[in-house]
Structure formats: C-alpha cells, structure tokens
C-alpha cells in the first residue's frame, strides 16, 4: 500500500477505483453533498449531535464481547464479537442512516429516499425518517418484497412508502437504479441515503466515515482489555460497509490482517454466488468503478446468496483497492457453511446471528483452531438473525 496516501483522492478515487459516473444533473448534487459533508465533519455541533443520537437512540457503544465458549470449543485463537446486532433496528445500518439524515437536515431537505434489498437498510432509513420527521420513500425489488415481508411491514409501520420495482432481476440492483432515477428528478428537496460504501463519490467515503464508529470502538476496547491490537479482523462483504467500518480505523496498523468474507452461495465454480472480489472484473455500476460480476459481454450477472444482504453484484471501490494492494484478503463461504456458522453461534453463545455475518463466523471457526491460543480475532457481528428465521427453518429441522 502506498505510504499514507490519502484515500479517496480529490476526485473520489481509491487507486484506480471509485469516481463519479453519473448524469450531468447529479454532478451538482454530488458536489453540494461533498461540500456540506466536508463542513459537517469538521463542525463540533454536527459531530456532537451525531454522537448524541448514536448513544441515546442507537444504543452505542455496542459491546466487544469475548466469545468464551466458542473459543474453548475451537481450541485456538481468542474470538471476540463486535455486537452490531445490538444496535437499534438490529444491524449496523443505523450508524449510516443517522449520519446521512442529520446531513439531510443540515441541507434543508424535506424528503429522504433509499434502496433496499433485504429490507435492513430500508428499515434503518424509515426509522430515521420517522424520528426526524422526513417524508420517506424506499425502493425495493418485487422479488425482495416477497422474500422479506416482515421488513416491508416494519417500514410501513414507521410511515415510509415502499415502492415496488418490477424491472430486471427485481432485486437490489434494480431498486438502486430506480432510487438514482428518483434523485435525478427530485434533487432539490430530496436526499438519497445510499446504504453501503458504493455509488459515486462522496458516498463510499461518507458511508465509511459514518460506519467507522464500529472500528473505533473495537480498537479502543481491545486495547483496554487485551492491551494489544488484534491479529485478524473478519467481516462479511456485501456492498462492504460493515467491513470497511471495522477495518478503516486499523488501516495504518500494518500487522492487523483484514479478511473480507464474500457469499460463495452454491459454490464459487457455480454461477450461483455473489463473490464480486474473488470472481469479478473491473466495471462501472451505480456511478462508480469497482469490481463487478459481469458476463463476457459486460452484462451485470445474476447473483445469489442465502443472505439477501450479500446478494449484490458490485462492491465498494475501497475494497477493490484493498484487494489490488493486498491490504485485505477476500475469501468465499457457501450458503451451507454460513448455515453451519449460524447454528454454531446460536448453540455456543446464545446469540442468533443474521445470515450475513454467519459467513464471517464460519470463516473464523475454520481458521481459529489453526492459530495459537494467544492470537486474537475480532468478528464483526453485523446484525441479528430474527429476520432470517423463515429462511433458516427450511434448512435446519428439529424432531
Ligand atoms: C446489509 C447488511 C450487510 C451487508 O452490507 P455491507 O454494506 O457489506 O455491510 C451485512 N450484514 C447485515 C446484517 C446487513 O444488514
């Protein structure tokens, strides 16, 4: 990795990745957003407001929990869990939506919109919409609306409108296209809250800044209890926000190894996976250049994962940069192994994880036994599993 080069650069590039590939009408909006964000991140009032809501509304700091029984079972490295599942709404997404909602308020916007796949980001957006009194519209593919009816209902309870998207694969990619289209038309009164470290600059940077609270807290806490830095950070990668949020505050700690876990679905050699960094190639999707799953004609591939939150053909540009520079390594975990991780954590620790971080839990359980007992692993438990019970029921049966 180049020595302390600032990422992203002024044009929004992380090495060769990122940038702004958008229609002219959005250029102005992105520049205005970047301008306001830069000011806000230096403004004591903005930061203290954000901290206030993170603490009293979202319930931060979340614990860094030593998984004692899991560690004893695996007989290797010590495993700590960063408990984002305990944040309000049950996942890390709220860190980002609180930050962006405060920014939207600062910019005088009256309406917020979002895209959602599993519905977690939609719920986190509807939540801040209700709490700050924004009009709130959430775009969601009709396929996802069917798969995630609980989250659709939660959004409606909080007063959001859920707009069905029936084009393309009827999932997250298509919902994102529609949200961008809406923003182009309504940019004067509307802020688009993107849900991960993807999209045109300044989104990947902005979402990283808001999610970095995860890594900041984890770093402080591990130094307090272990008096040293961890050896491995492990997190699942969909768009890449919970992982970047954990990794970023450790970026300069060269000895801390980063492992991003992608969804290998039915297997990396099948066509049914969402392992963008492992199997993809450079391309442009949703306004930025990054790794992308595409066919030989450049058509965006259909993707699959048992966890709807990892089911996305793109990935944040900073991860592509981390991959190229070797700062992070990326591995795949299949649907079947993720289910194993899901059950393992439920049984060993009484914590039912979301299917997304179950991929990371599984990978940690695979490497921990091969490591010395004085090594330390932090796994980001990005969300809780209640939303996934119906899916898991089809795979794990009891007498
Ligand atoms: C949305 C989601 C993810 C995937 O998104 P990232 O941007 O990669 O973090 C992972 N885990 C949970 C619980 C989610 O809700």
């Amino acid at each position: 990795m180049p020595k302390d080069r600032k990422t992203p650069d002024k044009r929004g590039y992380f090495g060769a990745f990122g940038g702004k590939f958008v229609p002219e009408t959005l250029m102005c909006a992105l520049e205005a957003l970047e301008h306001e964000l830069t000011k806000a991140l230096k403004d004591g009032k903005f930061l203290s407001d954000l901290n206030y809501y993170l603490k009293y509304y979202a319930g931060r700091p979340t614990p860094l929990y030593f998984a004692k029984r899991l560690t004893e079972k695996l007989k290797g490295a010590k495993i700590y869990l960063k408990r984002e599942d305990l944040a309000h709404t049950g996942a890390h997404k709220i860190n980002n939506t609180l930050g962006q909602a405060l920014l939207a308020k600062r910019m005088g916007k009256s309406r917020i919109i979002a895209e959602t796949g599993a519905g977690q980001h939609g719920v986190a957006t509807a939540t801040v919409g209700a709490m700050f009194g924004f009009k709130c519209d959430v775009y969601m593919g009709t396929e996802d609306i069917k798969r995630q009816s609980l989250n659709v209902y939660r959004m409606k309870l909080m007063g959001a409108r859920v707009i069905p998207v029936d084009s393309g694969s009827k999932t997250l990619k298509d919902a994102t296209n529609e949200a961008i289209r809406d923003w182009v038309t309504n940019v004067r009164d509307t802020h688009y809250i993107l849900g991960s470290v993807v999209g045109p600059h300044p989104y990947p940077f902005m979402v990283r800044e808001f999610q970095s609270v995860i890594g900041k807290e984890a770093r402080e806490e591990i130094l307090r209890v272990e008096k040293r830095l961890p050896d491995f950070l492990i997190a699942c990668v969909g768009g890449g926000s919970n992982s970047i949020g954990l990794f970023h505050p450790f970026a300069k700690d060269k000895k801390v190894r980063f492992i991003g876990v992608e969804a290998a679905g039915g297997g990396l050699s099948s066509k049914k996976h969402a392992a963008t960094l492992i199997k993809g190639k450079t391309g442009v999707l949703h306004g930025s250049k990054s790794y992308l799953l595409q066919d030989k004609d450049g058509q965006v591939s259909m993707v699959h994962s048992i966890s709807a939150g990892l089911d996305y053909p793109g990935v944040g540009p900073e991860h592509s940069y981390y991959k190229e520079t070797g700062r992070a390594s990326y591995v795949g975990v299949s649907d079947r192994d993720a289910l194993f991780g899901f059950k393992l954590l439920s049984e060993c620790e009484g914590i039912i994880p979301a299917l997304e971080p179950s991929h990371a839990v599984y990978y940690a359980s695979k490497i921990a036994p091969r490591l010395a007992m004085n090594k330390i692993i932090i796994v980001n438990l990005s969300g809780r599993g209640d939303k996934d019970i119906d899916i898991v029921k089809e795979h794990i049966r009891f007498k």
Side-chain angles (χ1 to χ4, degrees), residues 64 66 71 76-80 218-219 222-223 226-235 246-247 250-260 326-329 363-364 367-368 370-379:
L64 183 71
F66 173 49
T71 300
K78 288 173 100 166
I79 299 177
Y80 282 86
R219 197 172 185 285
I222 201 76
L223 285 174
E226 291 282 354
K227 310 275 184 288
R228 73 173 187 89
L229 291 170
D231 299 284
F232 293 91
L233 303 178
I234 305 181
L246 177 66
F247 296 169
F250 295 87
K252 290 192 182 134
D253 305 312
K254 300 279 152 68
K255 288 198 175 136
V256 179
R257 290 179 56 186
F258 300 168
I259 300 177
R327 180 63 189 91
S329 40
Y363 194 75
I367 66 165
R370 302 197 299 249
L371 295 168
M373 293 173 96
N374 63 356
K375 296 286 178 193
I376 298 171
I377 298 175
I378 296 178
V379 176

Side-chain angles (χ1 to χ4, degrees), residues 374-394:
N374 63 356
K375 296 286 178 193
I376 298 171
I377 298 175
I378 296 178
V379 176
N380 201 16
L381 207 64
S382 55
R384 64 171 189 238
D386 313 41
K387 69 179 176 65
D388 296 319
I389 298 297
D390 283 341
I391 297 163
V392 173
K393 260 187 193 162
E394 291 169 23

Side-chain angles (χ1 to χ4, degrees), residues 340-385:
F340 183 90
F342 183 97
K343 190 138 183 290
L344 178 70
L345 197 67
S346 302
E347 285 176 356
C348 257
E349 295 289 349
I351 297 171
I352 300 175
L355 279 169
E356 291 86 359
S358 296
H359 290 72
V361 169
Y362 175 81
Y363 194 75
S365 78
K366 221 177 77 171
I367 66 165
R370 302 197 299 249
L371 295 168
M373 293 173 96
N374 63 356
K375 296 286 178 193
I376 298 171
I377 298 175
I378 296 178
V379 176
N380 201 16
L381 207 64
S382 55
R384 64 171 189 238

Side-chain angles (χ1 to χ4, degrees), residues 91-93 120 196 236-242 309-310 354 356-357 382-383:
H92 68 292
K93 299 273 190 337
Q120 290 300 99
S196 191
C236 63
V237 179
S241 69
N242 84 86
L310 302 184
E356 291 86 359
S382 55

Side-chain angles (χ1 to χ4, degrees), residues 39 52 55 106 153-154 203-204 288 345 348:
K39 277 199 311 192
Y52 171 85
K55 180 172 174 186
R106 239 180 108 100
Y153 192 70
R154 288 167 85 194
Y203 279 100
S288 71
L345 197 67
C348 257

Side-chain angles (χ1 to χ4, degrees), residues 238-311:
S241 69
N242 84 86
S243 47
I244 282 287
L246 177 66
F247 296 169
H248 183 66
F250 295 87
K252 290 192 182 134
D253 305 312
K254 300 279 152 68
K255 288 198 175 136
V256 179
R257 290 179 56 186
F258 300 168
I259 300 177
V261 184
E262 296 197 300
L268 288 176
S269 49
S270 74
K271 289 234 152 60
K272 297 190 76 186
H273 64 74
T276 310
L277 289 156
I278 299 169
K279 289 294 209 173
K281 284 195 219 60
T282 304
V284 172
L285 178 68
H286 300 143
S288 71
K289 191 195 273 188
S290 193
Y291 271 67
L292 180 61
L293 286 169
Q294 50 195 328
D295 65 19
K296 57 183 185 332
D297 302 322
Q299 287 287 340
V300 178
S301 307
M302 294 288 251
V303 288
H304 163 82
S305 168
I306 190 168
S307 60
L310 302 184
D311 205 347

